[in-house]
Amino acid sequence: HQGERDAVDAGAATGGCPTILFRPYAASNLTITWAYGGASLAPGTMEACLRRTVSSLGGRFGGVLLQQEWPDYFPHLAGSDLASQVPRRLDALQGRKRTYYVGEIFNLPLVSECVDWARYLIKRHFRDVRPPPSARGASAPTIMRRQLKVASLRRGRG
């Protein structure tokens, strides 16, 4: 999860280089890639980095067939929602009615971002919770359920 202080321009941070390369058909040399762009990147930067990446992986770069820009890649909130602090107001609801919100509404639709946010919430709201001795050897979901129950009891909500 990227907070306000450490938020970055993803295109600049990755240099426009591909973050994902996907070859959908084994019999084809077509590769689909994803990369962050943005105004901070000079024209041709993404293609140049893709060329270098393919070469470094031992491939042969045959050119770009299509480059699609998605200006509404994260369409969950409009600019006016961001300006009126909707994400902060949603975050202020964390823990109310013993409910915690995770998922892409708070970040990008990437598994790693969602996992980072969930871990951040656990540290923020359950910092002092330790698994009970009976949880030793239990599966992660079982331990988490027990930790949540313990946290609720400690806060007098259980």
Side-chain angles (χ1 to χ4, degrees):
H1 168 70
Q2 295 178 345
E4 280 181 37
R5 291 177 299 208
D6 55 357
V8 296
D9 174 343
T14 61
C17 292
T19 57
I20 298 172
L21 291 122
F22 171 61
R23 192 167 154 202
Y25 308 105
S28 171
N29 64 357
L30 175 70
T31 302
I32 299 170
T33 69
W34 285 263
Y36 294 105
S40 63
L41 298 176
T45 302
M46 293 170 77
E47 184 174 336
C49 190
L50 177 59
R51 181 182 302 275
R52 287 190 309 274
T53 301
V54 169
S55 177
S56 73
L57 294 171
R60 185 179 57 81
F61 184 76
V64 174
L65 298 177
L66 171 71
Q67 185 170 341
Q68 177 69 45
E69 188 174 315
W70 290 349
D72 63 344
Y73 176 68
F74 187 68
H76 304 298
L77 301 171
S80 58
D81 295 326
L82 296 174
S84 66
Q85 303 293 315
V86 168
R88 280 185 199 257
R89 293 198 320 262
L90 287 173
D91 187 47
L93 298 174
Q94 298 289 11
R96 290 195 183 169
K97 295 187 180 183
R98 296 175 9 183
T99 303
Y100 296 87
Y101 303 92
V102 297
E104 64 184 65
I105 190 67
F106 286 102
N107 29 44
L108 298 172
L110 301 170
V111 172
S112 62
E113 291 285 332
C114 294
V115 168
D116 286 348
W117 176 254
R119 287 179 175 157
Y120 166 74
L121 280 180
I122 290 168
K123 287 178 185 175
R124 185 170 122 195
H125 293 279
F126 301 98
R127 179 181 322 216
D128 299 326
V129 177
R130 300 284 181 258
S134 61
R136 291 187 188 134
S139 67
T142 301
I143 291 171
M144 192 60 183
R145 279 195 301 272
R146 289 178 184 167
Q147 287 179 334
L148 291 173
K149 181 69 175 168
V150 169
S152 294
L153 291 173
R154 286 184 181 161
R155 292 182 180 168
R157 298 184 209 155

